[in-house]
Amino acid sequence: INLQRSNWRMHSNFKWSITYFYNVRHLTKNQMPLSTAMFPPTWYAESNKSKAFLDNNLVINGLTIHEFVPKSAEECPCIKKNPDECSFLKMYRKQLHELNFEKVIQSYQELARKISSITNIEIDEIVLLVYEKPTNVCSERVALKELFHENGQILEELEVTK
């Protein structure tokens, strides 16, 4: 573990977690969801991807963490659903490893602080959104969890209370 990189969490009051789009309806106003999808659902991003909006639960919708969006338009070609052999996931892991992880995390934490200030809603958790359920091993969530782990952090599956 690179101790220099692991210090960013200690200076932050944000928890980071991950879930799939379906669970946005169960988020609270203190959680800021960020899409990692190339094409998020229209209900999340609405028709104009440049606008964010508050839903009925005062959860901000429409935001994307662009650095975590897969750059490859290739879909998972795996027939056997073996993520270790998936060319799409291999390219995605490579993309993630080329990022300045600390800089990306800090910039979105700063965004959460600004949104908190503007809305007077204290955001304390940033939630990454993917399409697949946690049981699907062929998901970007696996690579994202690995990225956080490699940087001395834990990206936990969001526990949803319905």
Side-chain angles (χ1 to χ4, degrees):
I1 296 175
N2 181 339
L3 292 178
Q4 251 183 333
R5 287 192 161 210
S6 66
N7 287 336
W8 69 265
R9 181 61 172 99
M10 291 188 292
H11 301 293
S12 165
N13 49 352
F14 296 100
K15 176 182 178 183
W16 284 74
S17 59
I18 190 165
T19 193
Y20 60 114
F21 281 99
Y22 174 84
N23 283 330
V24 169
R25 70 191 76 208
H26 302 296
L27 298 182
T28 67
K29 65 183 181 180
N30 304 97
Q31 297 169 309
M32 183 177 81
L34 296 173
S35 170
T36 65
M38 290 174 71
F39 307 104
T42 54
W43 59 263
Y44 176 79
E46 294 209 327
S47 59
N48 183 345
K49 292 185 189 259
S50 66
K51 287 188 178 178
F53 64 97
L54 293 175
D55 67 13
N56 293 338
N57 296 323
L58 299 178
V59 175
I60 192 160
N61 279 237
L63 299 177
T64 298
I65 185 165
H66 297 283
E67 294 84 350
F68 290 173
V69 173
K71 303 291 185 238
S72 171
E74 177 185 340
E75 291 188 25
C76 181
C78 306
I79 296 170
K80 295 183 180 180
K81 298 290 183 194
N82 181 350
D84 294 330
E85 300 300 320
C86 177
S87 58
F88 170 79
L89 288 176
K90 284 181 181 179
M91 284 189 289
Y92 187 57
R93 281 185 178 96
K94 183 179 184 303
Q95 172 190 325
L96 293 176
H97 284 98
E98 292 172 355
L99 295 174
N100 180 332
F101 179 79
E102 185 173 344
K103 184 177 178 182
V104 171
I105 296 303
Q106 288 176 349
S107 68
Y108 285 92
Q109 290 180 161
E110 182 58 30
L111 175 64
R113 283 185 201 92
K114 287 178 183 176
I115 291 171
S116 291
S117 175
I118 292 167
T119 61
N120 288 321
I121 297 171
E122 187 170 335
I123 295 170
D124 57 15
E125 184 172 4
I126 298 172
V127 182
L128 301 181
L129 300 174
V130 296
Y131 272 109
E132 301 83 13
K133 290 182 177 183
T135 54
N136 184 344
V137 294
C138 284
S139 170
E140 293 93 345
R141 105 182 331 100
V142 175
L144 288 164
K145 285 183 174 185
E146 288 172 0
L147 177 69
F148 274 71
H149 179 75
E150 289 165 3
N151 284 277
Q153 305 307 315
I154 297 172
L155 181 62
E156 295 178 357
E157 196 62 41
L158 180 72
E159 290 190 30
V160 175
T161 52
K162 299 178 183 180

